Amino acid sequence: MFRVLLRFELNPGMEKGFEDTWLSIGSVITDHPANLGQWLLRSSDEESVYYVVSDWVDEESFREFEHSDEHVHHRTKLHPYRRGGAMYTMNVVHELVGTRG
């Protein structure tokens, strides 16, 4: 499994608009056959910071999607809310599921 972690630093006061926009366009990612799911998380330590985690079948499929016209269009809808951010990619090595998993 290939995991992508995005860090979004938002313009203060734009959190609600960002969340609403993310929800409205999220199916662009989750409808992709290689996507295994995604999550939006708000930092409990930093003001106006969010994370998006998405899981993919493999890196090749993610990279193909990342460079698609559809995804570029999707990304532009989130740009007005951002003042910075970063992307981290990784391969899942092991998974341990808790008893409530």
Side-chain angles (χ1 to χ4, degrees), residues 55-70:
D55 288 343
W56 297 83
V57 171
D58 54 38
E59 182 174 3
E60 180 181 350
S61 299
F62 166 73
R63 298 293 180 191
E64 179 182 302
F65 173 77
E66 178 187 28
H67 295 104
S68 69
D69 291 339
E70 186 177 35

Side-chain angles (χ1 to χ4, degrees), residues 15 19 40-46 48-51:
E15 294 84 359
E19 289 181 24
L40 177 65
L41 305 103
R42 183 177 48 218
S43 175
S44 58
D45 299 322
E46 297 177 277
S48 304
V49 172
Y50 284 79
Y51 296 92

Side-chain angles (χ1 to χ4, degrees), residues 3 5 13 16 19 21 27 29 33 38 45 47 49 52 64 75 82 84 87-88 90-92 95-97 99:
R3 182 161 289 167
L5 171 65
K16 175 76 169 119
E19 289 181 24
T21 301
S27 62
I29 293 174
Q38 67 170 335
D45 299 322
E47 200 69 30
V49 172
V52 172
E64 179 182 302
R75 273 194 333 236
R82 298 178 58 187
M87 179 172 82
Y88 306 94
M90 57 210 79
N91 292 292
V92 175
E95 178 183 14
L96 301 174
V97 178
T99 57

